[in-house]
Amino acid sequence: QQQVKQSPQSLIVQKGGISIINCAYENTAFDYFPWYQQFPGKGPALLIAIRPDVSEKKEGRFTISFNKSAKQFSLHIMDSQPGDSATYFCAASMSAGHNFNKFYFGSGTKLNVKP
Amino acid sequence: DAGVTQSPTHLIKTRGQQVTLRCSPKSGHDTVSWYQQALGQGPQFIFQYYEEEERQRGNFPDRFSGHQFPNYSSELNVNALLLGDSALYLCASTPDEGFGGYTFGSGTRLTVV
């Protein structure tokens, strides 16, 4: 059973546009939701993360929107740039209990920003 | 400050062989987790080590085993390799105190032929 479902699988956006990637989760015990960015040949790098006590978090051009009742969260990349072209993964984890710090990742979204 | 270091970067093995992958965590981190990332997929949790013991494990067979050393570095061992074990193996470290995202290494690309 996939704990975190991510869509779309791939995304093409024009330079300057808004990229939106969506994720949904099942386990209500999850309380930490990071987004990772991965370039070819590299490991994932933490981009931004949110906890369910806030509905939105913004860092520069990157924003996470969180809907606890719908068990969904999304990543918005404003003013998308060709350098943002990468694969993005959402993830979920619990900050307590026997599954502490065990991350469940989505299947990834390959973003291509056209110049 | 060096991040997470993994070796080797690439490896080709034959079915049935055994392989050992190595990881040095980021300075100040004492918890190491291993993930398997198949091509085009998200990372899948293999297991996590803390204080030289396996603290939790994902849905991987016993062919996958690990070890953590007193200096917090870690090894992932895979026995009786199958073609399906071909993947990018990622090591991630965190400090045990507090909670936050992982720091990942660049991974070891394992190809089983």
Side-chain angles (χ1 to χ4, degrees):
Chain A
Q1 180 188 5
Q2 192 174 0
Q3 298 263 10
V4 179
K5 295 182 180 180
Q6 183 173 346
S7 64
Q9 188 175 5
S10 63
L11 185 59
I12 300 174
V13 173
Q14 290 296 126
K15 179 182 176 182
I18 302 174
S19 303
I20 302 174
I21 304 170
N22 301 300
C23 282
Y25 63 97
E26 291 296 324
N27 192 337
T28 55
F30 289 145
D31 61 359
Y32 179 73
F33 302 89
W35 284 89
Y36 282 83
Q37 179 188 57
Q38 186 176 29
F39 293 103
K42 299 293 185 182
L46 179 64
L47 196 59
I48 186 173
I50 198 169
R51 290 192 179 274
D53 53 346
V54 296
S55 60
E56 186 175 282
K57 183 175 181 179
K58 184 176 181 179
E59 290 185 2
R61 296 184 294 109
F62 301 92
T63 300
I64 298 179
S65 297
F66 187 83
N67 187 329
K68 188 174 181 179
S69 60
K71 293 188 288 185
Q72 295 176 348
F73 58 109
S74 60
L75 175 69
H76 292 64
I77 306 174
M78 313 300 287
D79 187 25
S80 298
Q81 299 296 313
D84 297 330
S85 297
T87 300
Y88 292 81
F89 294 95
C90 61
S93 184
M94 304 171 209
S95 59
H98 68 281
N99 280 327
F100 170 74
N101 226 1
K102 174 183 177 180
F103 281 54
Y104 297 86
F105 283 84
S107 55
T109 296
K110 189 170 185 179
L111 172 64
N112 185 7
V113 181
K114 297 279 194 184
Chain B
D1 175 30
V4 177
T5 305
Q6 291 188 243
S7 63
T9 55
H10 295 84
L11 203 52
I12 299 176
K13 288 287 189 178
T14 304
R15 271 184 305 174
Q17 285 189 317
Q18 179 264 343
V19 68
T20 297
L21 312 181
R22 296 177 175 80
C23 171
S24 292
K26 183 177 179 178
S27 178
H29 288 185
D30 54 8
T31 301
V32 173
S33 301
W34 286 91
Y35 283 78
Q36 180 194 65
Q37 186 177 19
L39 200 61
Q41 299 296 316
Q44 298 290 318
F45 180 81
I46 302 175
F47 42 53
Q48 184 180 91
Y49 277 84
Y50 172 67
E51 291 190 336
E52 302 179 49
E53 291 193 358
E54 184 181 293
R55 179 154 68 176
Q56 52 182 322
R57 189 179 183 91
N59 294 325
F60 280 80
D62 292 344
R63 298 187 297 108
F64 289 78
S65 63
H67 189 77
Q68 186 179 35
F69 299 93
N71 66 353
Y72 309 123
S73 66
S74 177
E75 289 182 349
L76 164 64
N77 300 291
V78 186
N79 295 321
L81 284 166
L82 304 174
L83 296 179
D85 295 331
S86 296
L88 180 67
Y89 288 85
L90 295 163
C91 173
S93 70
T94 55
D96 190 60
E97 290 188 3
F99 185 78
Y102 291 136
T103 299
F104 279 93
S106 294
T108 294
R109 173 69 64 185
L110 172 65
T111 302
V112 182
V113 297

